[in-house]
Amino acid sequence: MTAQFQYTRLAYQAQAVQSIADVFADVRFVEPASVHANPTYVPSEAYIALRANIERTRQANQVTACAVEVASTFTPALSLDVLMETGTGKTFTFIETIHRLHQRHKLSKFIVLVPSNAIRQGTLKSLQTTAACFAREYDNQKINVVNYSDKSVKGFIHAANRSLTVMVATYQSFAGDSKLINKRGVEANLFGQAKSYMEALTAIRPVLIIDEPHRFEGKVVKEFL
């Protein structure tokens, strides 16, 4: 017998997902040159629309803290914060956000960074148990879930962008020169140019989702992040 979980979407969860979607309204995404990479927007073309969208979304959500800053270059990367209390279903919310961005903009490579191994296991389980629910709601989009390891990162990098692939990792996986993901010479050649997994990850332009970012402390972590 196979049990199917039934999920109830709460109004504030739907609002959070829609808020992220609204940020990219009328923003053009460009097809990638590589079959492994995410499409991207052109910052010099999109930053005015992005800023206006963010300001409109903040106003709708009654957010007044800090000024809106959107770069007209690829660096620094666009950073969006969604504030939700612990226990209110934020994992469910960012999983649906992944599906929404894939459906609307063909973004297919996502990395979810979590602060501990216990949370990593919970996130992996949530991705697996919600897969059928979101597949029904989002045109049968299948999701490939990757538990980060020295062996699995290569598969994530080389996964084709026609499908939706999410890798879950802790910050301990990458914060340090000695970590395998940062070592040069791990792969003889990735995409003809990258000499480390981190360089290859840069090339495929993944969307980075950071769970509980306030727990990502320390100079080393921030440097590698």
Side-chain angles (χ1 to χ4, degrees), residues 9-37:
R9 182 181 291 99
L10 301 176
Y12 64 83
Q13 295 170 333
Q15 182 183 7
V17 175
Q18 188 60 47
S19 292
I20 294 294
D22 289 345
V23 167
F24 298 101
D26 301 319
V27 173
R28 183 178 70 93
F29 280 75
V30 180
E31 286 292 322
S34 166
V35 298
H36 309 288

PDB file of all heavy atoms in Angstrom, residues 9-37:
ATOM      1  N   ARG A   9      -2.308  24.392   1.706  1.00  0.00           N
ATOM      2  CA  ARG A   9      -1.498  25.594   1.536  1.00  0.00           C
ATOM      3  C   ARG A   9      -2.149  26.746   2.293  1.00  0.00           C
ATOM      4  O   ARG A   9      -3.317  27.063   2.065  1.00  0.00           O
ATOM      5  CB  ARG A   9      -1.368  25.938   0.052  1.00  0.00           C
ATOM      6  CG  ARG A   9      -0.501  27.140  -0.245  1.00  0.00           C
ATOM      7  CD  ARG A   9      -0.463  27.416  -1.729  1.00  0.00           C
ATOM      8  NE  ARG A   9       0.265  26.388  -2.468  1.00  0.00           N
ATOM      9  CZ  ARG A   9      -0.319  25.385  -3.130  1.00  0.00           C
ATOM     10  NH1 ARG A   9      -1.637  25.269  -3.121  1.00  0.00           N
ATOM     11  NH2 ARG A   9       0.407  24.519  -3.790  1.00  0.00           N
ATOM     12  N   LEU A  10      -1.403  27.363   3.175  1.00  0.00           N
ATOM     13  CA  LEU A  10      -1.919  28.476   3.958  1.00  0.00           C
ATOM     14  C   LEU A  10      -1.727  29.787   3.195  1.00  0.00           C
ATOM     15  O   LEU A  10      -0.828  29.907   2.351  1.00  0.00           O
ATOM     16  CB  LEU A  10      -1.229  28.527   5.312  1.00  0.00           C
ATOM     17  CG  LEU A  10      -1.387  27.250   6.163  1.00  0.00           C
ATOM     18  CD1 LEU A  10      -0.591  27.362   7.446  1.00  0.00           C
ATOM     19  CD2 LEU A  10      -2.859  26.982   6.455  1.00  0.00           C
ATOM     20  N   ALA A  11      -2.554  30.767   3.514  1.00  0.00           N
ATOM     21  CA  ALA A  11      -2.568  32.011   2.749  1.00  0.00           C
ATOM     22  C   ALA A  11      -1.218  32.721   2.771  1.00  0.00           C
ATOM     23  O   ALA A  11      -0.755  33.234   1.745  1.00  0.00           O
ATOM     24  CB  ALA A  11      -3.659  32.936   3.288  1.00  0.00           C
ATOM     25  N   TYR A  12      -0.553  32.756   3.921  1.00  0.00           N
ATOM     26  CA  TYR A  12       0.719  33.466   3.996  1.00  0.00           C
ATOM     27  C   TYR A  12       1.826  32.729   3.243  1.00  0.00           C
ATOM     28  O   TYR A  12       2.774  33.347   2.763  1.00  0.00           O
ATOM     29  CB  TYR A  12       1.128  33.711   5.451  1.00  0.00           C
ATOM     30  CG  TYR A  12       1.392  32.468   6.268  1.00  0.00           C
ATOM     31  CD1 TYR A  12       2.621  31.820   6.214  1.00  0.00           C
ATOM     32  CD2 TYR A  12       0.409  31.947   7.099  1.00  0.00           C
ATOM     33  CE1 TYR A  12       2.851  30.674   6.962  1.00  0.00           C
ATOM     34  CE2 TYR A  12       0.637  30.820   7.847  1.00  0.00           C
ATOM     35  CZ  TYR A  12       1.863  30.173   7.776  1.00  0.00           C
ATOM     36  OH  TYR A  12       2.092  29.041   8.515  1.00  0.00           O
ATOM     37  N   GLN A  13       1.697  31.397   3.112  1.00  0.00           N
ATOM     38  CA  GLN A  13       2.659  30.647   2.299  1.00  0.00           C
ATOM     39  C   GLN A  13       2.486  30.994   0.820  1.00  0.00           C
ATOM     40  O   GLN A  13       3.466  31.237   0.101  1.00  0.00           O
ATOM     41  CB  GLN A  13       2.475  29.148   2.523  1.00  0.00           C
ATOM     42  CG  GLN A  13       2.801  28.691   3.936  1.00  0.00           C
ATOM     43  CD  GLN A  13       2.386  27.253   4.200  1.00  0.00           C
ATOM     44  OE1 GLN A  13       1.449  26.742   3.577  1.00  0.00           O
ATOM     45  NE2 GLN A  13       3.080  26.604   5.126  1.00  0.00           N
ATOM     46  N   ALA A  14       1.242  31.013   0.376  1.00  0.00           N
ATOM     47  CA  ALA A  14       0.960  31.383  -1.017  1.00  0.00           C
ATOM     48  C   ALA A  14       1.417  32.808  -1.307  1.00  0.00           C
ATOM     49  O   ALA A  14       1.936  33.105  -2.389  1.00  0.00           O
ATOM     50  CB  ALA A  14      -0.538  31.242  -1.298  1.00  0.00           C
ATOM     51  N   GLN A  15       1.254  33.694  -0.326  1.00  0.00           N
ATOM     52  CA  GLN A  15       1.678  35.087  -0.493  1.00  0.00           C
ATOM     53  C   GLN A  15       3.191  35.184  -0.650  1.00  0.00           C
ATOM     54  O   GLN A  15       3.699  35.968  -1.464  1.00  0.00           O
ATOM     55  CB  GLN A  15       1.225  35.907   0.711  1.00  0.00           C
ATOM     56  CG  GLN A  15       1.581  37.394   0.622  1.00  0.00           C
ATOM     57  CD  GLN A  15       1.170  38.162   1.873  1.00  0.00           C
ATOM     58  OE1 GLN A  15       0.726  37.567   2.865  1.00  0.00           O
ATOM     59  NE2 GLN A  15       1.312  39.466   1.833  1.00  0.00           N
ATOM     60  N   ALA A  16       3.926  34.390   0.113  1.00  0.00           N
ATOM     61  CA  ALA A  16       5.387  34.413   0.018  1.00  0.00           C
ATOM     62  C   ALA A  16       5.856  33.916  -1.346  1.00  0.00           C
ATOM     63  O   ALA A  16       6.753  34.505  -1.967  1.00  0.00           O
ATOM     64  CB  ALA A  16       5.991  33.549   1.134  1.00  0.00           C
ATOM     65  N   VAL A  17       5.261  32.834  -1.832  1.00  0.00           N
ATOM     66  CA  VAL A  17       5.623  32.298  -3.150  1.00  0.00           C
ATOM     67  C   VAL A  17       5.305  33.318  -4.237  1.00  0.00           C
ATOM     68  O   VAL A  17       6.114  33.573  -5.140  1.00  0.00           O
ATOM     69  CB  VAL A  17       4.881  30.971  -3.423  1.00  0.00           C
ATOM     70  CG1 VAL A  17       5.172  30.474  -4.843  1.00  0.00           C
ATOM     71  CG2 VAL A  17       5.288  29.911  -2.409  1.00  0.00           C
ATOM     72  N   GLN A  18       4.120  33.915  -4.152  1.00  0.00           N
ATOM     73  CA  GLN A  18       3.715  34.896  -5.159  1.00  0.00           C
ATOM     74  C   GLN A  18       4.603  36.128  -5.125  1.00  0.00           C
ATOM     75  O   GLN A  18       4.892  36.735  -6.172  1.00  0.00           O
ATOM     76  CB  GLN A  18       2.253  35.290  -4.949  1.00  0.00           C
ATOM     77  CG  GLN A  18       1.684  36.167  -6.063  1.00  0.00           C
ATOM     78  CD  GLN A  18       1.735  35.499  -7.415  1.00  0.00           C
ATOM     79  OE1 GLN A  18       1.351  34.331  -7.553  1.00  0.00           O
ATOM     80  NE2 GLN A  18       2.223  36.222  -8.427  1.00  0.00           N
ATOM     81  N   SER A  19       5.065  36.514  -3.939  1.00  0.00           N
ATOM     82  CA  SER A  19       5.926  37.688  -3.817  1.00  0.00           C
ATOM     83  C   SER A  19       7.236  37.483  -4.578  1.00  0.00           C
ATOM     84  O   SER A  19       7.715  38.399  -5.255  1.00  0.00           O
ATOM     85  CB  SER A  19       6.208  37.984  -2.340  1.00  0.00           C
ATOM     86  OG  SER A  19       5.037  38.409  -1.680  1.00  0.00           O
ATOM     87  N   ILE A  20       7.823  36.302  -4.455  1.00  0.00           N
ATOM     88  CA  ILE A  20       9.052  36.014  -5.206  1.00  0.00           C
ATOM     89  C   ILE A  20       8.758  36.005  -6.702  1.00  0.00           C
ATOM     90  O   ILE A  20       9.511  36.558  -7.509  1.00  0.00           O
ATOM     91  CB  ILE A  20       9.650  34.670  -4.770  1.00  0.00           C
ATOM     92  CG1 ILE A  20      10.120  34.744  -3.315  1.00  0.00           C
ATOM     93  CG2 ILE A  20      10.816  34.284  -5.679  1.00  0.00           C
ATOM     94  CD1 ILE A  20      11.275  35.686  -3.084  1.00  0.00           C
ATOM     95  N   ALA A  21       7.645  35.392  -7.086  1.00  0.00           N
ATOM     96  CA  ALA A  21       7.284  35.359  -8.508  1.00  0.00           C
ATOM     97  C   ALA A  21       7.090  36.767  -9.056  1.00  0.00           C
ATOM     98  O   ALA A  21       7.498  37.069 -10.185  1.00  0.00           O
ATOM     99  CB  ALA A  21       6.014  34.530  -8.690  1.00  0.00           C
ATOM    100  N   ASP A  22       6.484  37.651  -8.254  1.00  0.00           N
ATOM    101  CA  ASP A  22       6.219  39.020  -8.697  1.00  0.00           C
ATOM    102  C   ASP A  22       7.500  39.814  -8.941  1.00  0.00           C
ATOM    103  O   ASP A  22       7.509  40.756  -9.747  1.00  0.00           O
ATOM    104  CB  ASP A  22       5.359  39.749  -7.669  1.00  0.00           C
ATOM    105  CG  ASP A  22       3.922  39.247  -7.637  1.00  0.00           C
ATOM    106  OD1 ASP A  22       3.517  38.554  -8.591  1.00  0.00           O
ATOM    107  OD2 ASP A  22       3.220  39.532  -6.646  1.00  0.00           O
ATOM    108  N   VAL A  23       8.567  39.459  -8.246  1.00  0.00           N
ATOM    109  CA  VAL A  23       9.842  40.159  -8.442  1.00  0.00           C
ATOM    110  C   VAL A  23      10.316  40.043  -9.890  1.00  0.00           C
ATOM    111  O   VAL A  23      10.923  40.973 -10.443  1.00  0.00           O
ATOM    112  CB  VAL A  23      10.919  39.598  -7.477  1.00  0.00           C
ATOM    113  CG1 VAL A  23      12.314  40.076  -7.865  1.00  0.00           C
ATOM    114  CG2 VAL A  23      10.608  40.015  -6.047  1.00  0.00           C
ATOM    115  N   PHE A  24      10.006  38.914 -10.529  1.00  0.00           N
ATOM    116  CA  PHE A  24      10.513  38.667 -11.879  1.00  0.00           C
ATOM    117  C   PHE A  24       9.470  38.922 -12.971  1.00  0.00           C
ATOM    118  O   PHE A  24       9.660  38.513 -14.119  1.00  0.00           O
ATOM    119  CB  PHE A  24      11.040  37.234 -11.981  1.00  0.00           C
ATOM    120  CG  PHE A  24      12.193  36.974 -11.042  1.00  0.00           C
ATOM    121  CD1 PHE A  24      11.993  36.300  -9.846  1.00  0.00           C
ATOM    122  CD2 PHE A  24      13.464  37.437 -11.337  1.00  0.00           C
ATOM    123  CE1 PHE A  24      13.046  36.075  -8.969  1.00  0.00           C
ATOM    124  CE2 PHE A  24      14.519  37.226 -10.471  1.00  0.00           C
ATOM    125  CZ  PHE A  24      14.306  36.543  -9.281  1.00  0.00           C
ATOM    126  N   ALA A  25       8.389  39.607 -12.625  1.00  0.00           N
ATOM    127  CA  ALA A  25       7.369  39.944 -13.620  1.00  0.00           C
ATOM    128  C   ALA A  25       7.982  40.798 -14.726  1.00  0.00           C
ATOM    129  O   ALA A  25       8.685  41.770 -14.458  1.00  0.00           O
ATOM    130  CB  ALA A  25       6.222  40.688 -12.947  1.00  0.00           C
ATOM    131  N   ASP A  26       7.740  40.413 -15.965  1.00  0.00           N
ATOM    132  CA  ASP A  26       8.200  41.160 -17.143  1.00  0.00           C
ATOM    133  C   ASP A  26       9.724  41.234 -17.251  1.00  0.00           C
ATOM    134  O   ASP A  26      10.253  42.122 -17.938  1.00  0.00           O
ATOM    135  CB  ASP A  26       7.625  42.584 -17.144  1.00  0.00           C
ATOM    136  CG  ASP A  26       6.098  42.591 -17.149  1.00  0.00           C
ATOM    137  OD1 ASP A  26       5.520  41.751 -17.878  1.00  0.00           O
ATOM    138  OD2 ASP A  26       5.501  43.400 -16.427  1.00  0.00           O
ATOM    139  N   VAL A  27      10.434  40.331 -16.599  1.00  0.00           N
ATOM    140  CA  VAL A  27      11.889  40.264 -16.731  1.00  0.00           C
ATOM    141  C   VAL A  27      12.223  39.162 -17.741  1.00  0.00           C
ATOM    142  O   VAL A  27      11.776  38.028 -17.600  1.00  0.00           O
ATOM    143  CB  VAL A  27      12.570  39.968 -15.379  1.00  0.00           C
ATOM    144  CG1 VAL A  27      14.071  39.722 -15.568  1.00  0.00           C
ATOM    145  CG2 VAL A  27      12.335  41.118 -14.413  1.00  0.00           C
ATOM    146  N   ARG A  28      12.993  39.517 -18.749  1.00  0.00           N
ATOM    147  CA  ARG A  28      13.340  38.570 -19.815  1.00  0.00           C
ATOM    148  C   ARG A  28      14.521  37.697 -19.395  1.00  0.00           C
ATOM    149  O   ARG A  28      15.548  38.205 -18.954  1.00  0.00           O
ATOM    150  CB  ARG A  28      13.701  39.336 -21.094  1.00  0.00           C
ATOM    151  CG  ARG A  28      14.002  38.448 -22.298  1.00  0.00           C
ATOM    152  CD  ARG A  28      14.285  39.317 -23.515  1.00  0.00           C
ATOM    153  NE  ARG A  28      15.546  40.029 -23.397  1.00  0.00           N
ATOM    154  CZ  ARG A  28      16.726  39.578 -23.880  1.00  0.00           C
ATOM    155  NH1 ARG A  28      16.773  38.428 -24.532  1.00  0.00           N
ATOM    156  NH2 ARG A  28      17.823  40.309 -23.751  1.00  0.00           N
ATOM    157  N   PHE A  29      14.351  36.388 -19.542  1.00  0.00           N
ATOM    158  CA  PHE A  29      15.439  35.451 -19.271  1.00  0.00           C
ATOM    159  C   PHE A  29      16.003  34.949 -20.595  1.00  0.00           C
ATOM    160  O   PHE A  29      15.256  34.658 -21.534  1.00  0.00           O
ATOM    161  CB  PHE A  29      14.952  34.281 -18.422  1.00  0.00           C
ATOM    162  CG  PHE A  29      14.862  34.604 -16.950  1.00  0.00           C
ATOM    163  CD1 PHE A  29      13.826  35.397 -16.460  1.00  0.00           C
ATOM    164  CD2 PHE A  29      15.816  34.129 -16.063  1.00  0.00           C
ATOM    165  CE1 PHE A  29      13.739  35.704 -15.108  1.00  0.00           C
ATOM    166  CE2 PHE A  29      15.738  34.437 -14.711  1.00  0.00           C
ATOM    167  CZ  PHE A  29      14.700  35.217 -14.233  1.00  0.00           C
ATOM    168  N   VAL A  30      17.321  34.839 -20.649  1.00  0.00           N
ATOM    169  CA  VAL A  30      18.026  34.452 -21.872  1.00  0.00           C
ATOM    170  C   VAL A  30      18.406  32.982 -21.797  1.00  0.00           C
ATOM    171  O   VAL A  30      18.894  32.498 -20.767  1.00  0.00           O
ATOM    172  CB  VAL A  30      19.297  35.305 -22.056  1.00  0.00           C
ATOM    173  CG1 VAL A  30      20.036  34.906 -23.318  1.00  0.00           C
ATOM    174  CG2 VAL A  30      18.934  36.783 -22.084  1.00  0.00           C
ATOM    175  N   GLU A  31      18.178  32.273 -22.884  1.00  0.00           N
ATOM    176  CA  GLU A  31      18.542  30.852 -22.929  1.00  0.00           C
ATOM    177  C   GLU A  31      20.042  30.682 -22.715  1.00  0.00           C
ATOM    178  O   GLU A  31      20.842  31.444 -23.252  1.00  0.00           O
ATOM    179  CB  GLU A  31      18.152  30.260 -24.284  1.00  0.00           C
ATOM    180  CG  GLU A  31      16.669  30.042 -24.467  1.00  0.00           C
ATOM    181  CD  GLU A  31      16.122  28.946 -23.562  1.00  0.00           C
ATOM    182  OE1 GLU A  31      16.816  27.934 -23.364  1.00  0.00           O
ATOM    183  OE2 GLU A  31      15.007  29.123 -23.036  1.00  0.00           O
ATOM    184  N   PRO A  32      20.447  29.674 -21.951  1.00  0.00           N
ATOM    185  CA  PRO A  32      21.879  29.463 -21.700  1.00  0.00           C
ATOM    186  C   PRO A  32      22.578  28.833 -22.890  1.00  0.00           C
ATOM    187  O   PRO A  32      21.941  28.163 -23.708  1.00  0.00           O
ATOM    188  CB  PRO A  32      21.876  28.502 -20.500  1.00  0.00           C
ATOM    189  CG  PRO A  32      20.610  27.718 -20.669  1.00  0.00           C
ATOM    190  CD  PRO A  32      19.602  28.690 -21.244  1.00  0.00           C
ATOM    191  N   ALA A  33      23.878  29.051 -22.958  1.00  0.00           N
ATOM    192  CA  ALA A  33      24.669  28.437 -24.031  1.00  0.00           C
ATOM    193  C   ALA A  33      24.883  26.952 -23.765  1.00  0.00           C
ATOM    194  O   ALA A  33      25.033  26.156 -24.690  1.00  0.00           O
ATOM    195  CB  ALA A  33      26.017  29.150 -24.148  1.00  0.00           C
ATOM    196  N   SER A  34      24.896  26.555 -22.493  1.00  0.00           N
ATOM    197  CA  SER A  34      25.141  25.170 -22.109  1.00  0.00           C
ATOM    198  C   SER A  34      23.838  24.479 -21.741  1.00  0.00           C
ATOM    199  O   SER A  34      22.940  25.085 -21.150  1.00  0.00           O
ATOM    200  CB  SER A  34      26.107  25.117 -20.912  1.00  0.00           C
ATOM    201  OG  SER A  34      26.114  23.840 -20.314  1.00  0.00           O
ATOM    202  N   VAL A  35      23.728  23.190 -22.066  1.00  0.00           N
ATOM    203  CA  VAL A  35      22.531  22.421 -21.718  1.00  0.00           C
ATOM    204  C   VAL A  35      22.489  22.095 -20.233  1.00  0.00           C
ATOM    205  O   VAL A  35      21.510  21.532 -19.740  1.00  0.00           O
ATOM    206  CB  VAL A  35      22.457  21.104 -22.517  1.00  0.00           C
ATOM    207  CG1 VAL A  35      22.353  21.380 -23.999  1.00  0.00           C
ATOM    208  CG2 VAL A  35      23.651  20.206 -22.212  1.00  0.00           C
ATOM    209  N   HIS A  36      23.542  22.452 -19.496  1.00  0.00           N
ATOM    210  CA  HIS A  36      23.596  22.176 -18.063  1.00  0.00           C
ATOM    211  C   HIS A  36      23.240  23.402 -17.219  1.00  0.00           C
ATOM    212  O   HIS A  36      23.069  23.271 -16.007  1.00  0.00           O
ATOM    213  CB  HIS A  36      25.000  21.711 -17.664  1.00  0.00           C
ATOM    214  CG  HIS A  36      25.531  20.604 -18.512  1.00  0.00           C
ATOM    215  ND1 HIS A  36      25.056  19.322 -18.440  1.00  0.00           N
ATOM    216  CD2 HIS A  36      26.502  20.586 -19.465  1.00  0.00           C
ATOM    217  CE1 HIS A  36      25.705  18.557 -19.295  1.00  0.00           C
ATOM    218  NE2 HIS A  36      26.580  19.310 -19.938  1.00  0.00           N
ATOM    219  N   ALA A  37      23.161  24.569 -17.836  1.00  0.00           N
ATOM    220  CA  ALA A  37      23.082  25.825 -17.075  1.00  0.00           C
ATOM    221  C   ALA A  37      21.664  26.381 -16.997  1.00  0.00           C
ATOM    222  O   ALA A  37      20.795  26.059 -17.815  1.00  0.00           O
ATOM    223  CB  ALA A  37      24.013  26.860 -17.700  1.00  0.00           C
TER     224      ALA A  37
END
